[in-house]
Amino acid sequence: MHCYSKLSLLALASVASIASARPSSLDTRGAANEACTNGKAIYITSNTAQNSIVAVPIAQNGSLIVNQGSSTATGGSGASGITASSGAAAGPDSLFSQSAIALAGQYLFAVNPGSNTVSMLAIDAQDATKLTAVGSPATLPGEFPNTVAASDKYKIVCVGLTGATAGVACAPYSSAGIGAVDALRPFALNQTTPPGGPLNTVSQCDQTTLYVTVKGDPTVNNTGFLAAFPVQNTRSSCHAAASVASTGVTSSPSGTAVLFGSEVIKGSTDLFVTDASFGGAVLSVDATGKASTVGKGVIDGQAATCWVAISPATNTAFVADVGVDRLVEMSVTNATILGSPIDLTAISNGDPGLTDLRAAGSFVYALSPGNGTTDASVVVVNALTRAAVEHVSVASLGLTKSAQGMAILV
Ligand SMILES: *[C@@H]1O[C@H](CO)[C@@H](O)[C@H](O)[C@H]1NC(C)=O
Ligand SMILES: *[C@@H]1O[C@H](CO)[C@@H](O)[C@H](O)[C@H]1NC(C)=O
Ligand SMILES: *[C@@H]1O[C@H](CO)[C@@H](O)[C@H](O)[C@H]1NC(C)=O
Ligand SMILES: *[C@@H]1O[C@H](CO)[C@@H](O)[C@H](O)[C@H]1NC(C)=O
Ligand SMILES: *[C@@H]1O[C@H](CO)[C@@H](O)[C@H](O)[C@H]1NC(C)=O
């Protein structure tokens, strides 16, 4: 059993050897005891018309203290995608994405899909639920931003957009706010604003090399892909700021179709990805940025496996399915399914399934936005014992079925 810190994860995720596009060494700074401590708070976006970030503090024993939670406006607007099969506003999974909110150091970044902006907020050092806007939301060169990644090391924020003008754009940030947003790296998705999904939409940006997962649509022979954009100028820290390359390498690893969530696996060059069409996979990224499939886990009875968090306590992946009320634990070596699924129906009060999730210390926190009938809720699972510790409604904090994204402060 290993305990790695969030810090070392971020460091790997933005490793200096990006110049060779191959993060070869694990930066172990901070991989000390902090690694094993539980989180301080979780953050979720409401993705409502007045978009807000809801913060819920975590007690020392890992449980959530909902009555001490807060809600802070981002200064932008939420918006939901359109479920292609029904034409209705999407929810749960209103944005068809992982990482609608990202944490870097003491800053949170959240997408505002209804106003085509990204917001930056500072977390108070003494009170993890006290958030303050930093500057104004930054306007993006595209439509329907649905996923964001940020690098504390390089002070860069990147946003994936999946509307009629789709792609990725990045900007530097400082304590004064978000700087000039660069030009869109376009993706030809032929989408609308709001997009019809979940198929054929941008899924996630992961600040590594900047990795972006994009879902295909097998029904029309449209193959999903992983795009890798290297971070540049990473060594000249005194002068040129780091930036993200304007062109990337895209690949469609064999056996994948609807790439959704992803997380960089610590101590390796691999990514753990979810694929909504079958389950999870481990991808290896070569020196040119091309990804290939190392191992694939096909989950029996899955509906849409979309979100993943790697637990620092177990170094295993926990994946969530928007249509099945359980978590599945998988190997980060080859995506083999470990044990039986962690069934949550006994504790969850009718949740239809789970979306965004995060892990810190021994615990995994998973959001169930509900379906409009059931409350938006968070379930807490002990990664070591696999026991469901608690299930709490977060409806009192203004979260509904449009809630999306989760970040965790350690
Ligand atoms: C965890 O801590 C919280 C807050 O201190 C407390 O209310 C709760 O009962 C504790 N849970 C367990 C399982 O000990
Ligand atoms: C783009 O989408 C429109 C409908 O939204 C469709 O009629 C058209 O065939 C699509 N084009 C491509 C190249 O897929
Ligand atoms: C998808 O592409 C394959 C290979 O090009 C082709 O054989 C198949 O008919 C196509 N299917 C659809 C639904 O277009
Ligand atoms: C998957 O990796 C595990 C180690 O994490 C190993 O024990 C197992 O044999 C591997 N399975 C396959 C099918 O390669
Ligand atoms: C939401 O889910 C509950 C429990 O599964 C179900 O009874 C209810 O009909 C669903 N509501 C909607 C609007 O789909």
Side-chain angles (χ1 to χ4, degrees):
M1 179 190 318
H2 306 283
C3 276
Y4 299 94
S5 74
K6 203 75 187 166
L7 215 171
S8 66
L9 172 64
L10 282 171
L12 174 69
S14 52
V15 146
S17 55
I18 270 160
S20 66
R22 190 174 178 86
S24 54
S25 65
L26 174 60
D27 182 342
T28 53
R29 283 176 311 154
N33 295 337
E34 183 206 340
C36 301
T37 57
N38 292 328
K40 295 195 179 93
I42 59 168
Y43 305 91
I44 298 166
T45 70
S46 68
N47 195 30
T48 43
Q50 179 187 288
N51 197 14
S52 300
I53 297 176
V54 164
V56 187
I58 299 173
Q60 275 183 349
N61 63 12
S63 70
L64 294 168
I65 315 173
V66 177
N67 64 10
Q68 289 175 24
S70 67
S71 176
T72 309
T74 65
S77 309
S80 297
I82 304 295
T83 303
S85 55
S86 66
D93 192 18
S94 59
L95 296 178
F96 314 132
S97 69
Q98 176 162 312
S99 294
I101 184 168
L103 179 79
Q106 288 288 114
Y107 297 114
L108 284 169
F109 297 88
V111 293
N112 299 304
S115 49
N116 302 328
T117 57
V118 58
S119 298
M120 175 174 175
L121 292 95
I123 304 171
D124 185 271
Q126 262 67 55
D127 180 354
T129 64
K130 195 176 161 202
L131 306 182
T132 313
V134 184
S136 309
T139 298
L140 299 162
E143 288 169 18
F144 208 82
N146 69 338
T147 179
V148 57
S151 165
D152 184 34
K153 183 169 180 181
Y154 296 130
K155 311 290 186 235
I156 293 178
V157 56
C158 291
V159 181
L161 300 111
T162 197
T165 311
V168 189
C170 301
Y173 69 86
S174 69
S175 55
I178 299 173
V181 180
D182 66 13
L184 190 73
R185 296 155 191 76
F187 293 145
L189 299 181
N190 192 31
Q191 265 293 358
T192 51
T193 302
L199 298 177
N200 193 39
T201 52
V202 174
S203 309
Q204 187 182 9
C205 295
D206 195 334
Q207 189 81 33
T208 334
T209 303
L210 172 65
Y211 289 117
V212 187
T213 45
V214 180
K215 296 178 242 3
D217 183 350
T219 61
V220 295
N221 248 358
N222 196 343
T223 310
F225 59 90
L226 177 87
F229 300 88
V231 178
Q232 302 167 323
N233 301 332
T234 55
R235 292 174 196 281
S236 49
S237 52
C238 301
H239 300 293
S243 63
V244 175
S246 58
T247 54
V249 173
T250 63
S251 46
S252 300
S254 68
T256 67
V258 189
L259 290 175
F260 204 107
S262 68
E263 187 162 336
V264 176
I265 299 166
K266 296 167 292 289
S268 79
T269 61
D270 296 348
L271 292 180
F272 192 99
V273 295
T274 54
D275 187 305
S277 65
F278 65 83
V282 174
L283 304 183
S284 167
V285 182
D286 73 13
T288 69
K290 259 195 168 352
S292 55
T293 307
V294 173
K296 185 174 157 176
V298 175
I299 301 175
D300 268 354
Q302 73 113 39
T305 306
C306 300
W307 296 267
V308 57
I310 297 174
S311 166
T314 57
N315 198 30
T316 57
F318 288 82
V319 300
D321 187 319
V322 68
V324 189
D325 191 14
R326 66 185 188 190
L327 296 180
V328 174
E329 186 176 5
M330 302 179 89
S331 155
V332 296
T333 310
N334 51 25
T336 299
I337 295 164
L338 304 171
S340 42
I342 302 170
D343 184 84
L344 299 168
T345 52
I347 195 173
S348 79
N349 212 10
D351 283 350
L354 300 150
T355 60
D356 303 83
L357 74 171
R358 290 285 175 181
S362 309
F363 299 97
V364 175
Y365 301 83
L367 170 67
S368 179
N371 60 5
T373 305
T374 56
D375 278 3
S377 306
V378 177
V379 66
V380 184
V381 170
N382 184 319
L384 295 166
T385 63
R386 299 161 55 93
V389 176
E390 68 173 359
H391 173 272
V392 293
S393 167
V394 283
S396 61
L397 294 167
L399 295 178
T400 64
K401 69 174 182 176
S402 66
Q404 186 96 62
M406 185 183 291
I408 192 162
L409 179 70
V410 181

